[in-house]
């Protein structure tokens, strides 16, 4: 308190009053601490959407990856006689039809994609694998129904297999199919079954 300064008001000039008031002023208020940076809060719906996208990409990539793995286990064709060659070709076609059917089932079982681009990619892949499956099943049925000495049936079966493989070759990279969808591209980076 400034009561200790006992001077008369008359003795003080304007400058003295200012000095007296300055000496009696309370200490300046402490400076406030700088505000912390804003915290980004991810909404629970964004986290749920992200988790749904990862789950969906896992299913999409997984169906294709299972096909590729099965394709790598394709039995080889060959033999010493026409009958043996036809039998081994029929086994190849049967194996291919089985893995294609499994892929079609896997893609069909996927829920709706979280974004339209994913649904478009799924339908495109599904159409290609379904067409390949149908061609393979027909080629096997025709070969199995042919006479033992029908060498032309063997040629048609091989052509059917090659046509089916052509359909699938354009549907082997599920990640490339969704690159236009940032949400799915991000999800693919963490989805286990999308890893090479």
């Amino acid at each position: 308190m400034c009561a200790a300064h006992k001077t008369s008001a008359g003795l003080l000039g304007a400058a003295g009053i200012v000095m007296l008031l300055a000496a009696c002023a309370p200490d300046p208020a402490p400076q406030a601490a700088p505000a912390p940076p804003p915290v980004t809060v991810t909404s629970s719906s964004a986290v749920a959407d992200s988790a749904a996208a990862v789950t969906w990409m896992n299913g999409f990539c997984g169906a294709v990856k299972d096909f590729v793995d099965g394709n790598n286990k394709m039995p080889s064709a060959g033999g010493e006689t026409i009958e043996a060659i036809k039998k081994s070709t029929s086994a190849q076609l049967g194996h291919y039809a089985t893995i294609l059917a499994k892929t079609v089932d896997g893609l069909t079982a996927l829920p709706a994609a979280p974004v339209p681009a994913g649904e478009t990619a799924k339908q495109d892949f599904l159409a290609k694998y379904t067409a390949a499956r149908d061609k393979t099943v027909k080629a096997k049925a025709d070969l199995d129904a042919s006479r033992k000495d029908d060498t032309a049936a063997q040629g048609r079966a091989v052509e059917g297999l090659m046509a089916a493989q052509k359909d699938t070759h354009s549907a082997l990279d599920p990640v490339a199919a969704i690159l236009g969808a940032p949400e799915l591209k991000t999800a693919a980076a963490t989805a286990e079954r999308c890893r090479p």
Side-chain angles (χ1 to χ4, degrees):
M1 191 164 191
C2 292
H5 295 286
K6 295 190 176 192
T7 41
S8 75
L11 295 175
L12 290 176
I17 292 173
V18 169
M19 288 175 57
L20 181 62
L21 289 175
C24 294
D27 290 335
Q31 292 291 326
V39 177
T40 304
V41 178
T42 305
S43 71
S44 59
S45 65
V47 171
D49 290 348
S50 175
V54 171
T55 299
W56 191 87
M57 282 305 300
N58 242 346
F60 186 44
C61 291
V64 177
K65 192 169 193 170
D66 288 344
F67 168 77
V68 171
D69 290 346
N71 188 52
N72 291 338
K73 297 172 185 167
M74 176 90 87
S76 58
E80 298 293 322
T81 64
I82 293 173
E83 187 176 353
I85 293 170
K86 283 176 67 176
K87 186 175 179 180
S88 67
T89 302
S90 179
Q92 272 191 324
L93 290 165
H95 176 82
Y96 207 57
T98 299
I99 62 173
L100 285 166
K102 182 179 176 185
T103 305
V104 168
D105 291 346
L107 291 170
T108 302
L110 279 176
V115 294
E119 195 60 30
T120 300
K122 171 186 151 182
Q123 293 305 324
D124 179 51
F125 275 46
L126 186 57
K128 290 173 180 174
Y129 282 105
T130 301
R133 179 203 59 196
D134 294 348
K135 288 173 185 173
T136 304
V137 168
K138 181 179 182 329
K140 179 173 171 30
D142 290 349
L143 180 63
D144 292 347
S146 68
R147 295 183 327 269
K148 289 181 182 181
D149 61 346
D150 187 352
T151 56
Q154 171 69 21
R156 289 191 302 272
V158 170
E159 286 173 7
L161 178 59
M162 289 170 57
Q165 288 173 332
K166 185 176 180 184
D167 289 334
T168 62
H169 285 299
S170 59
L172 294 177
D173 191 349
V175 176
I178 54 84
L179 289 180
E183 306 93 326
L184 295 180
K185 183 179 175 184
T186 300
T190 57
E192 184 180 346
R193 304 234 42 217
C194 292
R195 295 178 190 149

